[in-house]
Amino acid sequence: MDQDRRAESRSGTEGRSSGGGIPDGLLVGLLAFLLGLTLLVWTATGLAALFAKGAWPEGVTFTETPLAIRHLASQPHDIAGAWPASPASAFSGYGLFWGLFIGQLMILTVLTIFVMGTVTRWRAVRKASAGNATGPTPSPTPTATATAVGNRSAGRNGWAQPHVPGAVNEGPSPVDQTAPPAPSAKNDGPSPVKEPAPEPTALQK
């Protein structure tokens, strides 16, 4: 009884551990998304201030970016309020900031799609080459090739062709064909009919 209970408890624990929880791929994807978002906000803020004011703000650091994202989520127009450690005059307007942010996001998306397509094509080519290496297709024998060529030529020209085993016929062999009789001369009118000579009469005798 004790062994059965232990087995049931062990199976129940394994079932809960395998069925519950968050997949590792989802966790990795979520962490990558948060990291990329933080990097985009940080660079967009610094570049916007650099283009508008000519200098990168001192208080704009990567470690302070998560708090700035939280502030921008509620007040997207208040760029200076997202970075309280820096003076408000060191920042640009929200239009330049969001323009740079969206531009970087589009570039990152295009690069991601390009890399995924390249990796997919590379895997497909590698799989096809591996399949060809493991199982090559058998080459046709000379006899079968000659038979196939002869059948095609016979169907095309209307006559069969002798085949030599072990040799490939590249084309139909010449066959002596008698020339058709020359057509008769064309008569423009009916042929003349010879009439019998008249018999001599009594006077002529």
Side-chain angles (χ1 to χ4, degrees), residues 16-197:
R16 287 193 299 271
S17 61
S18 60
I22 302 176
D24 296 338
L26 182 60
L27 287 176
V28 174
L30 182 60
L31 292 176
F33 172 76
L34 294 176
L35 183 61
L37 181 63
T38 303
L39 184 62
L40 290 179
V41 172
W42 175 53
T43 54
T45 304
L47 291 176
L50 182 63
F51 293 156
K53 305 297 181 178
W56 191 288
E58 296 180 357
V60 178
T61 59
F62 185 78
T63 56
E64 298 293 333
T65 307
L67 297 177
I69 294 175
R70 181 180 178 182
H71 180 81
L72 291 173
S74 58
Q75 299 180 9
H77 301 287
D78 189 9
I79 305 300
W83 309 90
S86 302
S89 60
F91 297 96
S92 65
Y94 66 90
L96 182 58
F97 164 76
W98 286 113
L100 288 174
F101 177 79
I102 295 174
Q104 290 179 350
L105 183 61
M106 292 177 64
I107 293 174
L108 184 62
T109 303
V110 171
L111 289 177
T112 302
I113 295 174
F114 174 76
V115 171
M116 292 177 63
T118 303
V119 172
T120 303
R121 288 193 297 270
W122 176 74
R123 288 182 177 178
V125 171
R126 185 178 179 183
K127 185 177 180 181
S129 61
N132 294 334
T134 55
T137 56
S139 59
T141 60
T143 304
T145 307
T147 304
V149 173
N151 293 336
R152 287 197 300 269
S153 61
R156 182 173 60 254
N157 300 326
W159 46 269
Q161 156 184 343
H163 306 288
V164 179
V168 179
N169 296 327
E170 297 181 353
S173 59
V175 179
D176 296 336
Q177 298 179 357
T178 58
S184 59
K186 188 176 181 180
N187 297 326
D188 296 333
S191 58
V193 179
K194 294 182 180 181
E195 298 179 356

